[in-house]
Every structure is written in C-alpha cells, then in structure tokens.
Amino acid sequence: MTPITRLVGLAASTTLVLGLAACSVEEEAPAGTATEDAAVDETSDDTTETSDDAAGTGDASSPAPAAAEGDGTLVLYSGRNEELVQPVLDAFTDETGIAVEVRYGDTAAMAAQLLEEGDNSPAEVFLAQDAGALGAVAREGLLGELPAETLDLVPDTYESAQGDWVGLTGRSRVLVYNKEAVSEDELPETVAELTEPAWTGRVGIAPTNASFQSFVTALRVLEGDDAAAQWLDGLAANDPQVRERNGMIVADVDSGAIDAGLVNHYYLYELADEQGVPADDLNAALHFFPAGDAGALVNISGIGLVGEQADAEGQALVDYLLSEAGQTYFVEETHEYPMIEGVGTPAGLPALDELETPEIDLNDLDDLQRTIEMITEAGLL
C-alpha cells in the first residue's frame, strides 16, 4: 500500500478532496473566536495564570529567533485554521522579517499531500493538529531531525522518538456535561461506561473529527483492536448524538439539547468567549477522566521541518512558536497547554502534570487509516 493510499481514508472521512494542489478548507469560526478542527478544531481564549506549568522541561527565557539567512520566505503547510494561526505567523514575520507563504487545509489532507508530493514538495514546514498525522509523514522519511536544543524545550512525552517533530501545544480529551442534567456523582470514571444503558441517547460525538479519531487510535493502542471495536459497537448501539464538530457538541450540551459529549478541553472556553461570559457561568462544565483512562488522552498540535532545509528559516519559525511569545499566544488565544517552562497554565484548568493521563507513546498514533475503517465498520461514519 502506498503512503498516499494510507491517508486517503482519513481525508475522505472529513469530506475533503486530495490532489496535487493544496486543499482549501473553510473551518468553523464563530464571531470573535479562532477555531479549528481536523475536520474542524475550534479553540478560544482566556487569561493566563502567573504560575509556571510544571510539565515543561526547557527554558522559555531563551532569546527570540533572529532573521535567518535565506531568501526571506518559507512555505508552510498548515493543518491548523487560518484565523487561529495567522496572527502568530504575522508576529513571527514582524519579529524576524521572514515572510510565511501558507497553504491551509485539513491536517489529514495536508499530510496526504505531503506524502503524494514526496521529495518534490515545496513545503518547508508542516504544522499539524495531532501527533498521528505528523507520525504518518515522519514514517515516510519526509521530516528532518530537529536540533537537540529544540527537543530539549519540550517533555519527551510530547515529541517524536526520532526527533523529527515536536509538540507545540497540549490538548486534553474530556467529557463536557450539562451541570443540570448530569450530577457529579453520575460522572463516569471511564469512557467504557458511556456504552451502558444509563447513557443511551445522551452522549455527543464527532466521529469525523481528528481528535475523536486520535482518541480511538489511542484506545486501540492501550486495549487492543478487539476491545476498541467492542467499545465502538457499544457506543453505536447506545444512540450517540452525532455532530459534525466538537464546537456543536459543546453548544448543544450548554443549551441542554445533549447531556454530555466527548471533546477536547478548549472548546468550552471558545463557547464562553463567543457568549462573552466566564466559563464558570456556562451550563456546561468539563470532566477530566481519572486514573489514566483512555478518555484522558493528551494529544498535541505539533510541527516538523520538511525535507532538507536550504536555510534556517523553517527552524526560525519552530524557535518562535516554542518561544515565550509564541507559547503565550496559544495559552491566551486558544486555551491550550504550553509545552515549555515559564509559561502559565491557561486560567481555570489544572496544570498539565496534574492530569491523570494514560501511559501512551504519541508516536504510536500514526495508524489512523485502520481507525477510520473501524469507526466506519461500527456505523459511526
């Protein structure tokens, strides 16, 4: 099977057309917010705490990157939404003088395009929404090794074992629930409980979303394909409330149309920003699964350098996004977890190292094609 064939199913699941030209996807962007998903992954903003996030391992006080010698322009393939990342790319250009030519699209489609173009790709940098897509591209030898000083900034948990991609932000899987419809003592300890009769018709999912697909891939890695297939079949039989996007799930939970839903943590804050209220004032709240359950997976958005670099401009972008300025942007504008020391945890959230996450290697999340097949076989796609 060719590399492009392996990713076609993933891109198809988000109704995107793959081709030699860059895929253009309009992602959901409510007024006043920046959003994104792998089908569409929305995010939001809040203020940052002054305390440092203990999960980081590097030094955020390192100097901002200077303009690298080269032609003054780099080509970025971005699987993250334009409204979300263009402001930080503009700040990078202001800081370094390096212009960024961006091809925006769904992460799966951008990964598939890179695999199809191979060594002929004009891309110099790949910005992805999840570790699985980065791993699929890296597995084909299309990403170059990052310098040790870059890798040292980020905990080993959130970077490639081969050193060819690195996490930029952390995003935790959670159960969002309506505080009036679900009591605290009813909150599940595991995602397995969501297939029980008590949750029939009450749980929202977004099966075309890459965050859901990465979670299912993690479930496969942690418990095996048979157990993951059994969970998918049980969920499908339990009348799940299917939505196209995670933001829709959070909005429906807040309104009372759905009791609960599986999403990434930052969607709640996007809704709060859209409504102009503190997150605590919403009817919806977050439940972090305990005890290392698969439902507490922390995935990353991340970045890698594509092919042989003719100059240091791509590395300059990586350096900026992992600088204090770049990381603070993501904390304040998207409410995602930072990857370096010295940048505070997003307000209202537990620190990253306080989350009871499953013991999983994000490098093992690159088999997304089989995950898509299993979700389809369960009747959820």
Side-chain angles (χ1 to χ4, degrees):
M1 183 179 291
T2 65
I4 184 65
T5 302
R6 281 197 292 270
L7 276 229
V8 164
L10 179 57
S13 73
T14 55
T15 65
L16 298 175
V17 178
L18 304 181
L20 291 173
C23 298
S24 176
V25 180
E26 283 297 324
E27 299 181 278
E28 179 183 15
T33 65
T35 71
E36 86 163 355
D37 223 328
V40 176
D41 197 2
E42 310 121 296
T43 53
S44 68
D45 114 296
D46 206 313
T47 56
T48 134
E49 296 178 350
T50 56
S51 60
D52 291 347
D53 187 341
T57 61
D59 181 4
S61 63
S62 56
E69 293 184 5
D71 62 6
T73 301
L74 66 85
V75 178
L76 169 68
Y77 280 15
S78 176
R80 304 209 68 180
N81 175 271
E82 181 174 3
E83 290 190 43
L84 174 65
V85 300
Q86 192 61 52
V88 74
L89 297 177
D90 291 341
F92 163 75
T93 297
D94 291 342
E95 177 74 24
T96 65
I98 301 171
V100 185
E101 295 181 359
V102 192
R103 295 188 181 182
Y104 287 102
D106 168 78
T107 287
M110 290 291 95
Q113 184 172 341
L114 281 168
L115 293 174
E116 183 169 336
E117 293 171 344
D119 293 338
N120 295 320
S121 178
E124 297 169 74
V125 183
F126 178 36
L127 176 59
Q129 157 188 9
D130 69 275
L134 286 162
V137 173
R139 186 174 56 194
E140 300 303 323
L142 297 180
L143 300 182
E145 186 174 354
L146 293 164
E149 54 266 31
T150 296
L151 299 172
D152 288 345
L153 291 171
V154 175
D156 292 345
T157 303
Y158 303 116
E159 63 188 28
S160 164
Q162 288 70 44
D164 46 19
W165 58 261
V166 67
L168 294 178
T169 65
R171 359 176 60 224
S172 178
R173 295 293 291 171
V174 296
L175 184 77
V176 62
Y177 66 98
N178 184 287
K179 290 179 285 189
E180 296 180 357
V182 181
S183 62
E184 289 194 9
D185 59 4
E186 191 182 3
L187 291 171
E189 294 288 310
T190 72
V191 290
E193 294 178 38
L194 298 179
T195 65
E196 295 176 356
W199 289 98
T200 299
R202 302 174 67 191
V203 181
I205 60 170
T208 61
N209 180 272
S211 60
F212 180 83
Q213 295 164 2
S214 291
F215 151 69
V216 173
T217 306
L219 189 63
R220 292 174 53 211
V221 172
L222 290 165
E223 301 185 20
D225 280 9
D226 290 345
Q230 184 176 0
W231 183 83
L232 287 168
D233 289 342
L235 186 67
N238 222 22
D239 189 25
Q241 303 303 298
V242 176
R243 300 293 187 268
E244 182 181 355
R245 302 181 178 96
N246 286 339
M248 294 177 178
I249 293 174
V250 175
D252 282 350
V253 168
D254 188 63
S255 72
I258 306 176
D259 287 353
L262 291 170
V263 298
N264 282 354
H265 75 272
Y266 45 82
Y267 292 93
L268 181 79
Y269 296 92
E270 186 243 29
L271 180 64
D273 284 345
E274 184 181 354
Q275 295 188 4
V277 300
D280 288 346
D281 287 355
L282 295 174
N283 295 320
L286 301 182
H287 171 57
F288 292 82
F289 288 95
D293 185 69
L297 173 71
V298 172
N299 205 335
I300 53 95
S301 72
I303 198 165
L305 300 178
V306 181
E308 294 186 10
Q309 299 285 300
D311 50 49
E313 293 172 343
Q315 181 62 47
L317 177 60
V318 175
D319 292 342
Y320 183 80
L321 296 178
L322 284 173
S323 71
E324 184 173 0
Q327 292 284 283
T328 299
Y329 170 85
F330 287 115
V331 168
E332 295 182 348
E333 298 302 322
T334 75
H335 228 266
E336 294 171 275
Y337 284 102
M339 288 285 102
I340 65 172
E341 282 187 344
V343 177
T345 297
L349 291 174
L352 189 56
D353 66 341
E354 294 176 1
L355 301 180
E356 298 179 36
T357 58
E359 294 185 7
I360 191 168
D361 187 343
L362 295 181
N363 292 273
D364 294 335
L365 300 185
D366 59 355
D367 184 16
L368 297 177
Q369 175 60 25
R370 179 57 188 145
T371 294
I372 296 299
E373 293 170 356
M374 292 174 65
I375 296 173
T376 302
E377 290 165 2
L380 295 173
L381 281 177

